[in-house]
Amino acid sequence: MIKNLRVNALLTLLLFTMAACVKNDPAPTIVGLEVNVNVINASDDILNFYLNGTRQNSTTGIFPLAASGYTDVPYASQLAFRRLFNNQTFDNSEILFTVPVTVDTTGTDNRRYSLFTAGPTANTAFILRDTIVSDTGNAKLRFVVASPETTKLKVTLNDTLYFTTTAFKSASVFKPVGGTGVKAVEIRDADTNTLLYSTRLTLNVGNNYTLFSQGRVTDRTFKAGLTTNQ
């Protein structure tokens, strides 16, 4: 009887200790998990990005308004960004900034992300999850504000309002755009209705696209780019 009581007491103590450890232990590290990252250059520089000292993009660099395409990147790794060529120091050794790829990895169906760089510092970079769902009857488009110091914007396609945004780093969801073909795109100041940028884009049914702003309104460098999310 006494022996059984001792065994029960030890088991209770063991269970209590294990529960305390589980409660206080830090979250487990995600080992071996990779995510797909597409670097979109909304800055004025031609950029390269590196993982563990190895360049991940092509030798020509990522030009302004261009994208790297999706690259497998280990979760929680650090991506380093450098100019293709520094006109002041006449080399490409300077690391402008690093960005940790610590992203939301819930769900297993889609781990794709866009990393936008809007300038030479880390606070101008941001990551968005790309929730891509194909639509056989429509193209899909989202709008991302990758232009610092931007006020409220509105975007029309063929004179139809599709997006309104509030600030730098804001993004819409992917919205269906009916029909394949050329769309007349206008980006305006939402408060004054001043036209900031206009262009014509060809969108194809079944594809997902990101339209993103670049530059500043104050110095008349404001423009927009388009990348495909596939």
Side-chain angles (χ1 to χ4, degrees):
M1 184 71 175
I2 295 175
K3 182 177 180 181
N4 289 338
L5 288 174
R6 286 178 178 174
V7 170
N8 289 336
L10 287 172
L11 286 173
T12 301
L13 180 61
L14 178 61
L15 290 172
F16 178 80
T17 302
M18 290 174 65
C21 288
V22 170
K23 182 178 180 180
N24 295 321
D25 279 350
T29 302
I30 302 176
V31 179
L33 177 63
E34 289 190 335
V35 295
N36 301 124
V37 176
N38 182 27
V39 175
I40 298 172
N41 187 1
S43 75
D44 295 327
D45 290 308
I46 304 173
L47 298 175
N48 288 318
F49 76 101
Y50 295 78
L51 176 63
N52 297 326
T54 300
R55 186 180 59 235
Q56 300 299 301
N57 55 277
S58 67
T59 56
T60 57
I62 308 170
F63 280 75
L65 297 180
S68 66
Y70 287 100
T71 303
D72 290 336
V73 174
Y75 175 83
S77 58
Q78 292 274 347
L79 297 182
F81 287 83
R82 293 174 175 163
R83 290 186 177 95
L84 180 67
F85 188 75
N86 189 322
N87 291 324
Q88 281 72 46
T89 60
F90 301 102
D91 63 23
N92 61 355
S93 61
E94 176 194 12
I95 295 178
L96 296 175
F97 58 89
T98 60
V99 178
V101 186
T102 50
V103 293
D104 176 17
T105 57
T106 55
T108 57
D109 56 332
N110 179 18
R111 291 200 179 105
R112 291 187 175 184
Y113 301 84
S114 290
L115 193 163
F116 292 84
T117 61
T121 57
N123 63 354
T124 61
F126 58 100
I127 299 177
L128 298 175
R129 186 165 189 167
D130 299 338
T131 305
I132 300 171
V133 179
S134 295
D135 186 337
T136 57
N138 297 286
K140 282 192 170 182
L141 181 70
R142 71 173 172 183
F143 180 60
V144 176
V145 182
S147 47
E149 303 174 13
T150 298
T151 57
K152 291 187 291 184
L153 301 173
K154 62 180 182 180
V155 182
T156 60
L157 275 69
N158 293 346
D159 297 323
T160 300
L161 179 65
Y162 269 81
F163 309 105
T164 55
T165 60
T166 55
F168 177 48
K169 301 182 182 181
S170 61
S172 74
V173 298
F174 286 93
K175 291 185 176 183
V177 178
T180 293
V182 178
K183 310 295 181 183
V185 179
E186 290 186 347
I187 303 176
R188 294 178 178 268
D189 185 301
D191 292 327
T192 66
N193 203 40
T194 301
L195 179 63
L196 304 176
Y197 184 77
S198 64
T199 188
R200 298 176 70 83
L201 300 174
T202 300
L203 305 179
N204 295 317
V205 166
N207 288 346
N208 291 260
Y209 301 92
T210 294
L211 176 69
F212 60 96
S213 62
Q214 184 220 32
R216 288 173 168 80
V217 175
T218 52
D219 60 7
R220 298 183 180 182
T221 60
F222 185 90
K223 57 181 74 72
L226 184 75
T227 187
T228 304
N229 303 95
Q230 295 298 117

